[in-house]
Amino acid sequence: MVSLETLTPFQDKPIEPRQFQLISLRSFTVAMYICHFEWIFGLEYGSFPYNSELNTMLVSNDIREYLEEGSLIFIPTAGVMEKAYDMMIYNDNRSREPDERKRFEEFGTGPWEYTILPGRWDRKTKKIRSLPPLFNRSPDGNLTPFPFEDCDYDALPRFTSFVHPLIVIMLNRINMPNNHPASMAIQEKLIAPLKKVLRKWPQWQHNRFLPMPNTKFKREYDAGQKIICHCTFCSKNGSSTSTASSPELADTCTDDAEEVEEESRMEEYKELSRIANERIAVWRGCLEGVVFIHGDVEHDGILDRYGQECTDAADKVMLRQEEERAKREKLAAKLQGDFPLNKKSRLS
């Protein structure tokens, strides 16, 4: 057994342990998967354990970037992944009620075993991509190399951790690994079971915690907070509200739908602005460190320029989205004129 705290690409540099959050709330990519995860793995809406030990672990600061980008991955055992697959298939049944799902807690409390291997391989050369040679540093300072390219399944490094295997599976869904080219045993015991789960990851866009729009069915389910959905159906019908008080939805667009869509765009703009402000704060801290060393450095102008660039970038993103939306509406209107519908569309 090894530890991600002691892996390093350096032979003469002290190791600095750092906290690693597998799934971060700040990631735009995570937002695409989190509602799927909560539904198929039996969590309440909005209850993903971001700050729990189920989602955080100590790792060597030198390998943290490789874990974040998927160049270095770790995979649960085949038995755990088979259980995850069964839970996903059961919970993702279209007619399943929220309270009928198998629960996240059924996986127990850990610790769980994981196998470490590279996640990126060159298909032509069959060499590892974007990952330097790694060493494990023992408490007495000795270094043990890990030659992944020539490593068979039994020789791969392993560790145990309280991070949850379902969350590890989601991390691998975000950073989809390549096939391991060297060993059939690695394929059969690690890659194939993982990809069996990932291939069944839901593709639906509508939030399953809400009933589908334009239906008479009203699901009596209260997750303790407002449940929202920004899929096309809900945006058109203005149904991004809690199901506990949802009325029967109308068949056509209303002014409320336009307000919901505008609110969604404003929320996205606020998120872009938040990121811009965070980057400005980081730059300010770096530049203040320079000023501390060189007292005569003028940096206010640089900060202003950075701030202006960030604001412009956010504005341009929103402008492009508005232009794209206008183009699509114009094209849709033209197509509808060329091919008149015999029956009024429920989404028009």
Side-chain angles (χ1 to χ4, degrees):
M1 292 290 181
V2 299
S3 170
L4 291 179
E5 294 181 54
T6 57
L7 285 184
T8 177
F10 304 106
Q11 300 187 45
D12 55 356
K13 179 182 176 181
I15 292 179
E16 301 177 33
R18 286 289 184 272
Q19 199 76 14
F20 172 54
Q21 190 176 51
L22 279 68
I23 304 300
S24 173
L25 184 61
R26 296 181 178 182
S27 170
F28 280 124
T29 306
V30 167
M32 299 169 55
Y33 299 105
I34 197 67
C35 191
H36 291 156
F37 182 94
E38 290 174 339
W39 180 266
I40 60 178
F41 291 133
L43 283 172
E44 296 298 312
Y45 178 78
S47 65
F48 187 91
Y50 289 101
N51 298 318
S52 165
E53 68 173 358
L54 302 175
N55 186 49
T56 57
M57 60 191 306
L58 282 176
V59 303
S60 165
N61 194 45
D62 299 325
I63 66 168
R64 181 174 173 177
E65 63 178 291
Y66 305 118
L67 293 169
E68 291 175 338
E69 66 187 22
S71 299
L72 184 67
I73 64 174
F74 48 100
I75 299 179
T77 62
V80 167
M81 286 188 284
E82 186 66 27
K83 184 176 181 180
Y85 177 83
D86 292 340
M87 177 179 285
M88 173 187 291
I89 297 302
Y90 180 86
N91 287 347
D92 202 37
N93 187 297
R94 185 175 297 276
S95 62
R96 191 80 61 201
E97 285 293 297
D99 294 332
E100 293 175 347
R101 297 168 299 151
K102 293 183 179 180
R103 308 302 295 182
F104 183 83
E105 294 78 13
E106 292 179 21
F107 263 76
T109 57
W112 294 274
E113 180 180 304
Y114 298 99
T115 302
I116 306 172
L117 69 162
R120 301 284 180 260
W121 294 82
D122 189 290
R123 292 184 178 180
K124 293 182 178 180
T125 64
K126 296 185 178 180
K127 300 293 184 181
I128 300 171
R129 289 194 295 111
S130 307
L131 182 68
L134 295 180
F135 303 87
N136 183 55
R137 189 186 299 275
S138 63
D140 58 7
N142 292 328
L143 293 174
T144 304
F146 283 111
F148 285 111
E149 290 176 343
D150 301 320
C151 198
D152 201 355
Y153 172 77
D154 293 331
L156 286 172
R158 293 174 176 82
F159 69 97
T160 58
S161 174
F162 282 95
V163 294
H164 202 285
L166 296 179
I167 297 178
V168 174
I169 288 173
M170 181 175 173
L171 178 65
N172 285 310
R173 175 64 184 85
I174 295 172
N175 297 320
M176 191 77 75
N178 301 137
N179 286 335
H180 194 291
S183 168
M184 287 302 297
I186 293 175
Q187 286 279 351
E188 293 173 359
K189 297 181 180 181
L190 292 174
I191 302 298
L194 175 63
K195 291 200 169 182
K196 179 182 177 181
V197 178
L198 300 186
R199 279 193 293 266
K200 287 296 184 179
W201 194 274
Q203 299 298 317
W204 41 263
Q205 295 182 352
H206 177 73
N207 189 339
R208 283 281 175 87
F209 288 95
L210 285 166
M212 282 296 293
N214 289 336
T215 62
K216 294 182 179 180
F217 171 67
K218 292 188 294 183
R219 178 178 289 153
E220 296 296 333
Y221 176 71
D222 184 7
Q225 59 177 298
K226 183 180 180 181
I227 302 177
I228 60 175
C229 181
H230 297 304
C231 75
T232 303
F233 296 109
C234 290
S235 295
K236 288 293 185 182
N237 290 277
S239 64
S240 296
T241 57
S242 174
T243 60
S245 58
S246 294
E248 184 176 348
L249 300 172
D251 288 338
T252 59
C253 287
T254 63
D255 292 338
D256 291 339
E258 294 178 358
E259 291 179 4
V260 170
E261 189 173 357
E262 178 65 24
E263 182 181 350
S264 175
R265 290 197 295 270
M266 288 303 299
E267 288 298 321
E268 186 172 359
Y269 180 82
K270 289 178 182 178
E271 179 65 11
L272 289 170
S273 299
R274 182 188 65 77
I275 293 174
N277 290 331
E278 285 185 353
R279 289 176 178 173
I280 292 172
V282 171
W283 288 326
R284 182 180 294 277
C286 295
L287 289 170
E288 286 178 351
V290 173
V291 173
F292 180 77
I293 300 173
H294 306 284
D296 58 343
V297 174
E298 293 290 339
H299 66 287
D300 286 345
I302 298 176
L303 286 174
D304 292 339
R305 179 165 59 84
Y306 279 153
Q308 186 62 43
E309 288 177 355
C310 279
T311 305
D312 288 347
D315 288 337
K316 288 177 181 177
V317 169
M318 300 307 297
L319 178 61
R320 285 197 298 271
Q321 290 181 343
E322 287 297 316
E323 291 174 346
E324 183 65 19
R325 183 176 65 85
K327 288 179 182 178
R328 294 188 179 191
E329 289 180 352
K330 184 177 180 180
L331 179 61
K334 181 179 179 181
L335 291 174
Q336 188 171 359
D338 293 340
F339 303 96
L341 299 176
N342 295 326
K343 186 178 180 180
K344 185 177 180 182
S345 171
R346 295 172 67 86
L347 297 180
S348 61

